[in-house]
Amino acid sequence: MIPSSIRTVLKFCYLLPFMLGISCGDSPNKIKSDIEKSNLEEDTAKESTDVKTILFFGNSLTAGMGLEPDMAFPQIIQEKIDSLSLPFRVINAGLSGETTASGKNRIDWLMNQEVDIFVLELGANDGLRGIPLAETRKNLQAIINTVKEKNPDTKIVLAGMQIPPNMGQDYTSEFRRIFPELAAENEAYLIPFLLENVAGIPELNQADGIHPTEVGQRIVAKNVWNVIWPIL
């Protein structure tokens, strides 16, 4: 008579193939292949949930106006991320002509998705149009508030901007201060000046003198990368 402990072991050995979904006629190589396939599917599913999102929210500078979409600096950032095999995907939510007011109106639905890093690049069109600075500051803060309310864990990056002195020195100086002040108040990361080493250099800008060329966009991408790389 077979002792009960041995019968239990034998029963387990008999049932094990069925528990693993393996038929009795499967060869060892097929069993190994099935297990490896199952492991790969599990790893792939895990990787898909581990990919984080970087949302670039801005105007024509972010959209890459006048260039092919893959020449805009957010896509250049994606290329850099891919080259380093980092688990991040970039979403370019740049819209030509966007002001802080129109941005405030569309941010809510954009934040219905999970966003890990939010790069806010708005304000330049306000400054060029002479919109009251208090309004620009209020709208930028409202956008930041929405991001925080939707996802408190989102890391916020604010792109600093400067404008020509067309509106007077006081307006220009106060406009420039908006961005570092908001970044400090909200414990956000700051890109000191998005167009550093690009603005005012004719060969790095398109015919309008405002929007960067492909080479200019790569310099802008470097300015952005220097700030977001430590976050990644």
Side-chain angles (χ1 to χ4, degrees), residues 55 106-115 146 150-151:
L55 178 64
R106 76 180 178 107
I107 185 59
D108 190 68
W109 68 267
L110 273 174
M111 288 303 297
N112 286 331
Q113 61 186 315
E114 185 173 343
V115 175
T146 298
K150 290 279 189 174
N151 191 342

Side-chain angles (χ1 to χ4, degrees), residues 3 9 13 37 41-42 49 52 54 85 109 118 136 143 152 165 179 192 195 214 217-218 223:
V9 171
C13 291
K37 180 180 178 182
E41 289 173 348
E42 290 177 3
T49 59
K52 300 180 183 298
I54 306 174
S85 299
W109 68 267
F118 179 82
T136 297
I143 292 170
F179 304 94
L195 299 177
E214 180 180 357
Q217 284 278 358
R218 293 198 170 276
N223 296 337

Side-chain angles (χ1 to χ4, degrees):
M1 183 175 181
I2 302 175
S4 60
S5 59
I6 297 179
R7 287 203 308 272
T8 301
V9 171
L10 291 174
K11 181 179 180 182
F12 177 77
C13 291
Y14 174 77
L15 292 175
L16 181 59
F18 299 97
M19 294 165 62
L20 293 176
I22 304 168
S23 68
C24 296
D26 286 341
S27 67
N29 286 339
K30 184 178 186 304
I31 294 172
K32 179 181 178 183
S33 175
D34 289 344
I35 292 174
E36 289 175 346
K37 180 180 178 182
S38 176
N39 290 339
L40 178 60
E41 289 173 348
E42 290 177 3
D43 290 343
T44 302
K46 185 176 185 298
E47 286 174 4
S48 65
T49 59
D50 287 345
V51 174
K52 300 180 183 298
T53 298
I54 306 174
L55 178 64
F56 285 89
F57 186 68
N59 51 41
S60 55
L61 294 173
T62 294
M65 182 175 176
L67 301 172
E68 293 297 321
D70 61 353
M71 296 179 183
F73 73 84
Q75 182 58 33
I76 297 172
I77 295 291
Q78 180 71 75
E79 292 171 2
K80 182 70 172 177
I81 287 171
D82 292 344
S83 72
L84 296 172
S85 299
L86 297 173
F88 289 87
R89 68 176 181 126
V90 166
I91 296 177
N92 187 342
L95 183 63
S96 296
E98 187 90 301
T99 62
T100 58
S102 56
K104 181 183 67 173
N105 292 334
R106 76 180 178 107
I107 185 59
D108 190 68
W109 68 267
L110 273 174
M111 288 303 297
N112 286 331
Q113 61 186 315
E114 185 173 343
V115 175
D116 298 278
I117 300 175
F118 179 82
V119 183
L120 176 55
E121 180 274 304
L122 283 179
N125 287 326
D126 291 43
L128 294 175
R129 299 177 187 185
I131 292 174
L133 296 172
E135 183 177 337
T136 297
R137 181 186 293 267
K138 181 179 178 181
N139 290 336
L140 288 172
Q141 184 62 61
I143 292 170
I144 292 171
N145 290 344
T146 298
V147 173
K148 289 182 174 181
E149 289 166 6
K150 290 279 189 174
N151 191 342
D153 295 328
T154 298
K155 293 179 173 62
I156 299 173
V157 180
L158 191 59
M161 188 53 61
Q162 299 175 23
I163 56 172
N166 302 26
M167 300 293 173
Q169 191 59 49
D170 290 345
Y171 184 96
T172 302
S173 298
E174 188 176 344
F175 176 87
R176 183 172 61 249
R177 289 196 298 269
I178 288 175
F179 304 94
E181 289 174 359
L182 282 178
E185 292 167 8
N186 292 278
E187 298 183 341
Y189 299 86
L190 176 68
I191 302 166
F193 180 32
L194 181 71
L195 299 177
E196 186 72 38
N197 299 320
V198 176
I201 303 176
E203 58 269 27
L204 296 178
N205 289 276
Q206 300 176 49
D208 60 13
I210 297 175
H211 297 93
T213 61
E214 180 180 357
V215 176
Q217 284 278 358
R218 293 198 170 276
I219 297 174
V220 173
K222 183 178 180 181
N223 296 337
V224 176
W225 182 257
N226 289 339
V227 175
I228 69 170
W229 162 242
I231 306 174
L232 303 183

